[in-house]
Amino acid sequence: MDKIYDQFDIETIEKLADIVNSKELSELTLTDGDKTITLKGKKCIPAPPVPFMAPPVQAAAPAASDELAPSEAAAAGEISGKLVKSPIVGTFYAAPSPDKPPFVRVGDEVKKGDVIMIIESMKLMNEIQSEYDGIVDKILVSDGQAVEYDQPVMVIK
């Protein structure tokens, strides 16, 4: 402690300690020429935020049946009809469970309000209802495929 008093007077140290406490600082370092003093407060320095990095998504294999067309069809502009878009980010499921039939197939008639798919998001199964009456013309994503917000998922004519 005697070395500190040689470098800085006690009044300076007390004033610095008051600043650290009143401003709730975690640390204060003061340098004057070759003299340096560091005072540490009670408040911990929070860790820097870690940016969220979504896990890589593998592209789904092309569907073997006519029910599931590749999502590239939507991007290519080959679609006519009413687009049903994903209202949230998540995983598309065509059926309520793996052992159950899909909610809809290509050629099925749907009414406004019918459940046409599930989007799983944050471990919640969200039943998505049709906003249109019509016939399912295309299903643009594969079962279990990740979908983005506002991504086209189906076409209803």
Side-chain angles (χ1 to χ4, degrees), residues 50-153:
V50 177
F52 174 75
M53 305 237 352
V57 178
Q58 291 182 334
S65 71
D66 290 339
E67 290 180 23
L68 301 173
S71 59
E72 289 80 33
E78 302 169 13
I79 303 221
S80 63
K82 298 172 185 160
L83 282 178
V84 177
K85 297 180 180 181
S86 177
I88 56 177
V89 173
T91 304
F92 168 82
Y93 292 109
S97 67
D99 59 333
K100 302 285 183 187
F103 291 107
V104 294
R105 290 187 166 104
V106 171
D108 286 354
E109 183 177 348
V110 294
K111 299 278 185 208
K112 184 175 180 177
D114 289 350
V115 175
I116 56 174
M117 70 182 104
I118 289 178
I119 304 290
E120 178 188 4
S121 181
M122 297 177 63
K123 302 200 185 232
L124 293 175
M125 300 296 183
N126 300 282
E127 290 185 344
I128 309 302
Q129 299 175 344
S130 176
E131 297 177 16
Y132 313 106
D133 292 337
I135 306 291
V136 177
D137 185 50
K138 292 182 182 174
I139 299 175
L140 306 171
V141 294
S142 302
D143 195 48
Q145 181 178 335
V147 292
E148 297 294 324
Y149 169 75
D150 216 27
Q151 176 181 341
V153 177

Side-chain angles (χ1 to χ4, degrees), residues 35-54:
K35 301 176 197 175
T36 301
I37 186 169
T38 299
L39 296 162
K40 295 188 179 190
K42 292 181 182 178
K43 190 172 183 178
C44 296
I45 299 172
V50 177
F52 174 75
M53 305 237 352

